[in-house]
Structure formats: structure tokens, C-alpha cells
Amino acid sequence: MIVAEIGVTAATTLVAVLLGGWLTVRAQDRLWRRDHQRQWRDIRLSAYTGYLNAFREYVAYVLQPDARVVVIPRPRPPNDLMPFFDEKGAPYRERLEATKTALRLVSGQREVVRASNAMIRHARSLAAERGRHDVTDIPPERFERLWSAEREFVLAARDELGLPSDFEIGDRPLSGASGAGSDERLVSPLAEWVNPVGDPRRDP
């Protein structure tokens, strides 16, 4: 009887030790995962912020009165116009390209990469227009699409970082929504909504 009691006590102690060790490992694993996620969030936030700053600097340079932009048709389809900058503008283009690459390296969602690609495409289109026209003669649609693409990127980035991504949409009506699968559809209801009041060249 005593031997049985000793055996039960030993078995209970062993189970308690094993259970305690398992719970400790689980807790440590959760802490590691939490720290890992926090580190990646900080890395992505830094990359996205740097990319947005580079994008804004690129656009700001393109809109300067003394900006010198040369456009050359692409030799291959779609034969669109490619903008080239002088020594003064080259650093803005290089910084945008570098931050775009960094963003692609750390992003965990394709929506973020897709939205950043749209920003680059419209920024280059704006630069190409600037190479042929004064700022006041650039079609307003170029600016509408540019800022719409930027807003879409911000929403996609906020979603990946675990932040609300629909807080600005509200009950605003859609304007000019394209059909599903269209290349012109940049996206979310917010990005498709364009305020008809005010100067379209300004960020809404």
C-alpha cells in the first residue's frame, strides 16, 4: 500500500514537472513569436515610411518650375514615354527606386507591392507629362490617379501592419469605378473616390 502511494506521488510529481515544462516552453514560444512579429512590423513600417517620403520627394521635384525632364519612347511595347532626369533630379529617382526595392524585400502582402507598383507607374507618367508640359498644363487626371494610388498604398500598408484600413471611406459615393479586372481600377472605394471640389493637383 505504501509502495503504491509512493508510486502515485512520484507519477503525479513527474506529470506536474512535465506539464510545467510544457507550459513554460509554450509561454516562451508565444513571447518569441510576439517579439518576432513586432520586429517585422517595425522593419516594414520603416521601409514603407521611407518609400512614401521618397515618392513625395520625387513628385515634388517633378513639379518644380526648373525641373529638367527628358522623355524618350520605350523601344519595346507598350512604347510608353520614359522620363530621364539631369544630375539634379537623378538622386530623387534613385532614392525612389532603392526604397521600392527595399519595400519589395520586406513586404508580406502582395496588395502592398501591387499598390506601390501603381504609385511608381503614375509617378513616371507624371514625370513624362512634365517633360512635355508646364505644371499648369498637365492633365488633372494624372494628379487624381497619382494621389489615388498613394492613398491605396497607405490603406494596404495599414492593413498589413494591423491598423484600421477603412476608417476614411465612410459613406462617400464611388466615382468612376471601373469593372472588375480592369487595369484602370486602382482599388478600394477610398482610392477610387476623388473629391470634385478644389484643385486636383493637390493631394486631397
Side-chain angles (χ1 to χ4, degrees), residues 20-79:
W22 180 75
L23 292 175
T24 300
V25 171
R26 284 287 303 274
Q28 291 177 343
D29 182 65
R30 283 197 299 270
L31 288 175
W32 181 85
R33 290 177 181 274
R34 189 179 305 164
D35 289 342
H36 183 71
Q37 292 174 351
R38 185 182 299 113
Q39 290 174 359
W40 269 110
R41 176 174 172 171
D42 292 342
I43 291 171
R44 286 167 178 153
L45 178 60
S46 177
Y48 297 167
T49 301
Y51 173 73
L52 282 170
N53 289 337
F55 172 80
R56 286 283 180 150
E57 291 170 358
Y58 179 97
V59 173
Y61 170 76
V62 167
L63 298 181
Q64 290 180 5
D66 60 343
R68 297 183 60 185
V69 183
V70 177
V71 292
I72 300 176
R74 191 187 302 272
R76 300 185 302 273
N79 303 116

Side-chain angles (χ1 to χ4, degrees), residues 184-199:
E184 297 300 326
R185 189 176 198 278
L186 294 178
V187 295
S188 73
L190 173 61
E192 290 185 356
W193 176 81
V194 177
N195 187 352
V197 180
D199 185 356

Side-chain angles (χ1 to χ4, degrees), residues 55-127:
F55 172 80
R56 286 283 180 150
E57 291 170 358
Y58 179 97
V59 173
Y61 170 76
V62 167
L63 298 181
Q64 290 180 5
D66 60 343
R68 297 183 60 185
V69 183
V70 177
V71 292
I72 300 176
R74 191 187 302 272
R76 300 185 302 273
N79 303 116
D80 54 334
L81 296 177
M82 299 185 300
F84 292 90
F85 298 161
D86 60 7
E87 295 82 2
K88 182 180 178 181
Y92 296 101
R93 180 186 62 80
E94 293 170 1
R95 174 165 157 73
L96 182 62
E97 294 293 334
T99 55
K100 177 193 69 175
T101 300
L103 178 152
R104 290 177 175 178
L105 284 173
V106 303
S107 178
Q109 292 186 3
R110 68 182 184 87
E111 288 79 8
V112 174
V113 176
R114 182 184 60 81
S116 70
N117 290 340
M119 289 174 65
I120 293 289
R121 184 170 65 252
H122 292 299
R124 288 174 179 167
S125 295
L126 178 67

Side-chain angles (χ1 to χ4, degrees), residues 5 9 17 45 55 62 78 88 100 105 109 131 133 137 142 145 150-151 155 159 161 174 178 187:
E5 290 178 354
T9 301
V17 171
L45 178 60
F55 172 80
V62 167
K88 182 180 178 181
K100 177 193 69 175
L105 284 173
Q109 292 186 3
H133 305 289
D137 296 328
R142 293 293 184 191
R145 294 181 183 280
E150 185 194 48
R151 288 194 299 271
L155 293 179
D159 182 67
L161 295 173
L174 296 182
S178 303
V187 295

Side-chain angles (χ1 to χ4, degrees), residues 5-16:
E5 290 178 354
I6 294 175
V8 170
T9 301
T12 302
T13 303
L14 179 62
V15 170

